[in-house]
Amino acid sequence: MIVLVVIVVLVVSVGGSDGGKDESGGSGSSGTPSASAGMGRITKEMYDRVRTGMTEREVTAITGPCESSAEDEVAGIRGKVLTCRGAEAFSAATFTFSNGRLAAKGQVGLGGDAARKGSMTKEKYDRLRTGMSLKEALAVAGACEKDSDTDVAGSSATGYTCTSADGLGNASLVFADGKLTAKAQTGLE
């Protein structure tokens, strides 16, 4: 089960990176935008207000209109993915629903420039060990941006991206039930 949750977190984290296709921020058919939605572009603050378990209507009341980027039914489970363009350049969020309830959410770039300039190094990455608590791992890693939440079949997972100071390298950390279960890095020196 933990492997399934880790896979969903990684898919959600990667899935939000295209920024959406619709310049208007979506089709608007998936809900009514709130007054704070402004132009159908999601902000980090809006993203943070969305919680797993919400309905699509509750999510789009916070985010404003989003594009339905996938919809299917497998083994009696209805799945749907909404992609919301971000207010920041090169940013987006994805929301994955299972039988009408939010099961996973992911974002990329909503934290703006501050989130793109961290302090992750190869040395810090090498000190991270699976089994560490979230608090222990973040104490080693330094500033990281939470980029995904998943709740599937009673197991929860959270993903973080920790960027290097030059913004060119990063580490992805996945925590299942509060413990570091997977890590990956690219470009760290």
Side-chain angles (χ1 to χ4, degrees), residues 37-46 84-93 108-110 112 116:
M39 305 292 291
R41 305 282 176 122
I42 188 170
T43 64
K44 180 76 163 81
E45 293 74 24
M46 293 159 70
C84 306
R85 292 183 57 99
E88 296 286 332
F90 305 108
S91 66
V108 63
L110 294 180
R116 293 183 185 109

Side-chain angles (χ1 to χ4, degrees), residues 16 23 36 43 75 96 106 121 128 137 152 156 158 176 188:
E23 288 300 316
S36 65
T43 64
T96 304
T121 63
L128 295 168
V152 176
S156 63
T158 305
L188 293 177

Side-chain angles (χ1 to χ4, degrees), residues 4-17 81 94 96 106 148:
L4 174 64
V5 171
V6 169
I7 291 170
V8 169
V9 168
L10 292 174
V11 168
V12 168
S13 296
V14 172
S17 65
V81 178
T94 58
T96 304
S148 64

Side-chain angles (χ1 to χ4, degrees), residues 70-95:
E71 204 165 338
D72 204 355
E73 185 170 329
V74 177
I77 298 173
R78 289 183 341 266
K80 184 172 186 177
V81 178
L82 295 181
T83 301
C84 306
R85 292 183 57 99
E88 296 286 332
F90 305 108
S91 66
T94 58
F95 299 98

Side-chain angles (χ1 to χ4, degrees), residues 15-104:
S17 65
D18 70 351
K21 298 174 191 154
D22 183 344
E23 288 300 316
S24 69
S27 64
S29 63
S30 58
T32 306
S34 67
S36 65
M39 305 292 291
R41 305 282 176 122
I42 188 170
T43 64
K44 180 76 163 81
E45 293 74 24
M46 293 159 70
Y47 175 84
D48 288 342
R49 290 180 23 217
V50 174
R51 301 280 182 246
T52 57
M54 288 181 156
T55 65
E56 182 178 343
R57 173 172 259 146
E58 291 170 323
V59 170
T60 57
I62 294 169
T63 65
C66 299
E67 178 182 331
S68 178
S69 54
E71 204 165 338
D72 204 355
E73 185 170 329
V74 177
I77 298 173
R78 289 183 341 266
K80 184 172 186 177
V81 178
L82 295 181
T83 301
C84 306
R85 292 183 57 99
E88 296 286 332
F90 305 108
S91 66
T94 58
F95 299 98
T96 304
F97 296 86
S98 176
N99 287 332
R101 294 287 177 177
L102 185 64

